[in-house]
Amino acid sequence: MRISGGRHLSCRFCRQIRSLPTQRQPSRSVVGVRTFSDKKDGKDGSSYEEDYLYDEEGNEKIRPGGGKGRDLGKYIKESISRFTTSKQDIPRSTDMVIVGGGLVGSATAFFTAHKQKRGESEIIVIEKDPLYTKASSSLSAGGIRHQFSVPENVQMSMFTSDFLRNINFFLGDIDEPPPDVQFNHHGYLFLAPPEKSAKLAELVKMQKYLGAQIELFSSDMLRRRFPWLNVDGIEVGSLGLHGEGWFDPHSLLAALKKKNISLGVQYINGEVIGFTKRIDEKGISDKYVLSSVITKDADGEAYETNCAQVVNCAGPWAAEIAEMAGVGTETGALSVPLPVQPRKRFVYVFHCPSGPGISTPLTVDITGTYFRREGLGGMYICGASPESEEEEPSVDNMDVDYEFFNNKLWPRLAHRIPAFENIKIKNAWAGFYDYNVWDQNLIIGRHPVIPNFLFANGMSGHGLQQSVCIGNAISEILLDRKYKAVDLTRFSFERIIKGEKVAEDFIV
């Protein structure tokens, strides 16, 4: 299948909008850019007009999707032969655009491409940070757990654990060693004071019902199993015995990206700066679709790519992409913005030669402070979320607040693990959560007014462990029109419009 002039002939993704008009029309409008026409001289001496798109300042031409006089055969040959990200490689049209090439975006591309025959649909992933220097997953603590208060969150993380156990089947190459994401299966340990012990026991029962291998430990059991732990103020603790722990997120991302390229997915080094939209004249009058994506490449040139589906996997910056598409800018359902904001979190690295040993789980204190082992040389990492909105650090930079460690985290760690009274901080870094300020849970699925614009946002720090399942869920929406592995209906954007919340208690 190939797309000609922006018209989608047989793409499975186009079924819901196949009846839409396919030529340039007066009702065609542009989101975030303006349209003009230039007169051109043809080879035969005649003149014609060609549309161009300019930015809001009117000083940047955007090469239009579809185009006129395009050598389609040459274009197809070039699109098959390359996977680099130079400016010539931004397609004029494609089936599916994924905005954001981190773990969520790459997982979405993988499952969508993996479930189809090679070349059945064309997928491009647009990533403005190709080295992932600010990617949420790459800068995370790398944890994966099944201990959540919302059943769907438990199921999503269990899906990811199964994927990691079978990673060679999905991402392996017969001529190369299997991908190694360095999965440490030491579990999570959540500690609870007396007033929260009954709630924790109830959650463990739910998690075990769903198949998670979690056990509840009394304070005496914790003292015997973890002699390094001070159990003062602790009534119970829940420990993941299988499928929980931590792994290297960058290795998983690299393996996904490599596999995607082998499946024909194209990664573009660029930044989405706008969309064009088209009214659904043959459908419901108040609905429209995104007809193209405007991308600025690394050299500052802008290009238009006609497409059938757009998936927002932009992480902490997802709200900006949604606003470009019209979400939160008009009336009715479009008056509701995507409630996702970047929130900065710090991860500190410290050394303690006499600290807990190799079998130590990722431990979450009653204060919300967590720590885990890092390597085998007495190194550990730790972190915590701010206690209030007023304490949220600025997201304008990647600076680390070391006073937060000295004044908040170290006293808590030293109280819970006496050996940590004598530690030396070695390093630290900052990363961003794509924080859902509405209810700290995933927002996934189609927008009710823009049916070819899909969300995969707002994981609030759980994106690493949920990314694989989210990617599979988006592929199910596109290919099967329903969820199959894990039903994520409760996480739709409609709940934001209706004012309903699905609250997660276990935010770390």
Side-chain angles (χ1 to χ4, degrees):
M1 180 203 66
R2 185 58 220 175
I3 303 170
S4 175
R7 181 180 177 127
H8 302 269
L9 302 179
S10 59
C11 174
R12 294 176 66 187
F13 299 155
C14 302
R15 291 173 180 169
Q16 294 191 12
I17 60 172
R18 187 172 292 162
S19 61
L20 296 174
T22 57
Q23 304 298 323
R24 292 179 181 266
Q25 304 197 15
S27 62
R28 180 178 184 271
S29 60
V30 180
V31 182
V33 292
R34 293 182 289 168
T35 308
F36 297 87
S37 295
D38 286 348
K39 287 198 172 184
K40 297 290 182 180
D41 293 328
K43 293 182 179 179
D44 58 358
S46 62
S47 64
Y48 63 91
E49 288 191 353
E50 179 169 339
D51 288 345
Y52 283 87
L53 301 175
Y54 287 72
D55 64 13
E56 289 293 351
E57 287 73 32
N59 55 17
E60 280 193 19
K61 284 187 176 181
I62 299 172
R63 304 190 182 192
K68 298 184 180 181
R70 178 176 59 160
D71 185 342
L72 187 58
K74 180 180 179 182
Y75 172 74
I76 294 173
K77 186 179 295 184
E78 290 176 350
S79 69
I80 293 175
S81 63
R82 51 59 185 138
F83 294 107
T84 58
T85 57
S86 62
K87 62 183 180 181
Q88 297 93 329
D89 293 327
I90 298 181
R92 304 288 287 280
S93 55
T94 189
D95 296 314
M96 176 178 173
V97 173
I98 298 172
V99 184
L103 271 179
V104 175
S106 291
T108 298
F110 166 72
F111 281 103
T112 307
H114 174 71
K115 294 176 181 180
Q116 302 179 95
K117 295 178 180 178
R118 183 180 175 87
E120 185 175 354
S121 296
E122 292 187 346
I123 302 170
I124 67 171
V125 179
I126 302 174
E127 173 55 55
K128 66 179 181 180
D129 179 22
L131 298 179
Y132 301 103
T133 56
K134 295 183 179 181
S136 298
S137 54
S138 297
L139 296 174
S140 71
I144 178 170
R145 58 185 167 98
H146 303 162
Q147 298 182 63
F148 289 93
S149 64
V150 175
E152 290 89 343
N153 287 336
V154 179
Q155 293 173 300
M156 281 194 283
S157 284
M158 290 177 63
F159 184 99
T160 300
S161 295
D162 290 338
F163 180 89
L164 295 179
R165 279 194 290 268
N166 298 282
I167 192 169
N168 194 41
F169 171 79
F170 291 105
L171 305 182
D173 190 311
I174 193 170
D175 298 322
E176 297 185 13
D180 181 13
V181 296
Q182 303 171 41
F183 196 164
N184 291 268
H185 299 264
H186 293 298
Y188 267 66
L189 174 62
F190 278 89
L191 303 175
E195 63 270 20
K196 294 185 178 181
S197 59
K199 177 64 174 179
L200 186 60
E202 180 182 327
L203 292 178
V204 168
K205 184 177 180 180
M206 177 270 291
Q207 294 154 6
K208 294 177 71 172
Y209 175 80
L210 294 174
Q213 297 187 33
I214 315 295
E215 291 296 336
L216 201 64
F217 288 71
S218 67
S219 59
D220 288 338
M221 295 167 67
L222 289 171
R223 184 185 295 107
R224 291 194 295 268
R225 184 166 183 135
F226 306 112
W228 44 264
L229 183 68
N230 173 16
V231 296
D232 288 351
I234 302 300
E235 179 78 12
V236 294
S238 58
L239 176 66
L241 303 179
H242 184 72
E244 291 191 336
W246 56 92
F247 62 93
D248 179 14
H250 190 74
S251 295
L252 175 59
L253 178 56
L256 276 168
K257 187 173 181 178
K258 181 179 179 181
K259 187 66 174 182
N260 285 343
I261 292 173
S262 74
L263 292 172
V265 176
Q266 182 183 355
Y267 281 77
I268 301 295
N269 177 11
E271 181 178 0
V272 173
I273 59 173
F275 300 92
T276 63
K277 63 183 180 179
R278 184 173 60 225
I279 300 297
D280 184 359
E281 295 178 351
K282 293 185 179 181
I284 301 175
S285 59
D286 64 344
K287 290 193 176 184
Y288 67 82
V289 295
L290 303 180
S291 55
S292 68
V293 179
I294 313 302
T295 305
K296 182 169 67 176
D297 70 5
D299 295 328
E301 284 200 54
Y303 296 79
E304 180 188 15
T305 302
N306 291 347
C307 61
Q309 304 285 342
V310 178
V311 186
N312 185 354
C313 300
W317 300 274
E320 297 177 10
I321 300 299
E323 186 175 355
M324 291 179 195
V327 178
T329 64
E330 301 183 25
T331 59
L334 283 173
S335 67
V336 181
L338 180 66
V340 174
Q341 299 176 0
R343 294 289 177 93
K344 187 164 70 174
R345 297 292 181 261
F346 308 118
V347 180
Y348 303 91
V349 184
F350 63 91
H351 182 244
C352 181
S354 60
I358 191 172
S359 61
T360 300
L362 193 157
T363 303
V364 184
D365 187 33
I366 59 176
T367 60
T369 302
Y370 71 85
F371 85 93
R372 70 163 174 83
R373 180 178 53 81
E374 176 70 8
L376 303 174
M379 303 295 292
Y380 301 85
I381 67 171
C382 70
S385 294
E387 295 178 337
S388 65
E389 289 287 329
E390 291 72 22
E391 294 183 358
E392 286 287 346
S394 170
V395 298
D396 296 334
N397 55 59
M398 300 291 283
D399 296 344
V400 174
D401 181 3
Y402 285 91
E403 290 304 307
F404 183 65
F405 174 84
N406 292 328
N407 298 332
K408 296 281 188 177
L409 304 194
W410 192 357
R412 300 172 185 172
L413 290 169
H415 171 73
R416 191 58 61 201
I417 302 96
F420 285 167
E421 291 181 358
N422 183 24
I423 63 177
K424 184 176 183 180
I425 191 164
K426 293 289 187 178
N427 197 5
W429 70 84
F432 294 108
Y433 279 5
D434 57 332
Y435 193 81
N436 176 1
V437 297
W438 178 249
D439 60 10
Q440 295 79 60
N441 261 318
L442 169 68
I443 301 170
I444 190 170
R446 299 185 185 277
H447 190 279
V449 177
I450 318 171
N452 70 334
F453 185 63
L454 289 83
F455 300 104
N457 313 117
M459 285 73 75
S460 305
H462 308 140
L464 173 64
Q465 53 204 306
Q466 297 179 348
S467 58
V468 173
C469 187
I470 291 169
N472 179 69
I474 292 291
S475 75
E476 290 173 346
I477 295 174
L478 294 171
L479 302 176
D480 304 304
R481 300 190 182 184
K482 64 179 181 179
Y483 296 116
K484 299 175 72 175
V486 180
D487 187 353
L488 301 178
T489 304
R490 280 212 297 166
F491 292 148
S492 71
F493 188 81
E494 279 86 344
R495 82 179 190 274
I496 315 296
I497 298 173
K498 295 176 181 178
E500 300 171 354
K501 293 187 177 183
V502 182
E504 172 58 55
D505 295 332
F506 279 17
I507 302 293
V508 178

